[in-house]
Amino acid sequence: TQADVDFMSAMIGHHSQALLMAGWAPARGAGPAVRTLAERIINGQEDEIRSMERWLRDRRKPLPEASRMGGTGHSPGAGQGHSHRGMPGMLSEAQLKQLEQAKGPEFDRLFLTFMIQHHKGAVRMVEQLFATPGAARDETVFKFANDVSVDQRTEVARMERMLAGLGSNSGSQ
């Protein structure tokens, strides 16, 4: 359905912004736990982007701008084009700039806070897909969307625990 195509296209842009954010962790002095989380996000979401691109290509659908740009390494506005305006969980230009400029424990705090927002947005996107009549009947789309929902909810819970622990562990970073 068009809803499936729209979901897969939008999720590529959504994942691309997460890759941008996670890619900043090493250079911004992120703590070991945040760096490990960022690496896990990069590994998982790069694979998912490739799968979504393949699904779109197999159906002769256009790839979103984020894919044509390689998905990573673009400007702080990555994934913020007009086609993504209003997409749940996407960071604003101001939030991206704030994260990009943060260092050390402040980067960790902002990264976790913003990635929680971002992941919750992906869960909302899945909920919207499942609420659309006729959508997600394609086995690949259904499985992918379900996996995104489960994975993102699990990571949100993990990040919320990490964020809560930052206050008590701020001196050990």
Side-chain angles (χ1 to χ4, degrees), residues 1-10 55-56 129 132 134-138 141-142:
T1 65
Q2 188 59 45
D4 293 344
V5 172
D6 292 346
F7 171 79
M8 296 296 250
S9 295
W55 187 89
L56 288 167
L129 176 72
T132 303
R137 292 198 178 149
D138 176 285
V141 174
F142 176 81

Side-chain angles (χ1 to χ4, degrees), residues 6-170:
D6 292 346
F7 171 79
M8 296 296 250
S9 295
M11 194 56 76
I12 289 171
H14 205 272
H15 275 22
S16 294
Q17 189 180 74
L19 291 176
L20 176 71
M21 295 163 62
W24 287 334
R28 301 302 183 281
V34 169
R35 285 176 73 141
T36 298
L37 173 65
E39 289 169 13
R40 198 166 34 241
I41 288 169
I42 289 168
N43 291 335
Q45 294 198 5
E46 282 181 341
D47 287 345
E48 290 177 358
I49 286 173
R50 283 191 291 276
S51 296
M52 290 182 283
E53 290 171 340
R54 188 171 36 257
W55 187 89
L56 288 167
R57 275 194 299 273
D58 288 350
R59 284 148 188 83
R60 300 187 191 329
K61 300 298 180 185
L63 297 181
E65 191 65 32
S67 289
R68 291 192 297 271
M69 294 174 69
T72 59
H74 14 81
S75 70
Q80 285 298 109
H82 294 288
S83 63
H84 300 303
R85 201 171 300 266
M87 192 185 308
M90 293 293 278
L91 272 64
S92 67
E93 289 288 337
Q95 286 174 314
L96 284 169
K97 186 173 183 179
Q98 186 181 8
L99 180 62
E100 184 181 25
Q101 293 174 349
K103 299 237 186 277
E106 179 64 6
F107 178 86
D108 290 355
R109 185 186 65 75
L110 286 172
F111 179 82
L112 293 169
T113 300
F114 291 157
M115 194 60 78
I116 289 168
Q117 167 192 319
H118 198 266
H119 276 23
K120 285 181 176 180
V123 171
R124 279 194 305 280
M125 290 170 66
V126 171
E127 291 167 349
Q128 291 167 354
L129 176 72
F130 287 160
T132 303
R137 292 198 178 149
D138 176 285
E139 183 180 348
T140 301
V141 174
F142 176 81
K143 182 179 177 345
F144 172 72
N146 199 52
D147 288 349
V148 165
S149 182
V150 170
D151 293 346
Q152 303 283 290
R153 288 174 195 270
T154 301
E155 278 193 348
V156 164
R158 180 182 300 125
M159 290 186 292
E160 286 173 341
R161 287 190 303 271
M162 290 171 70
L163 189 58
L166 285 183
S168 59
N169 296 337
S170 60

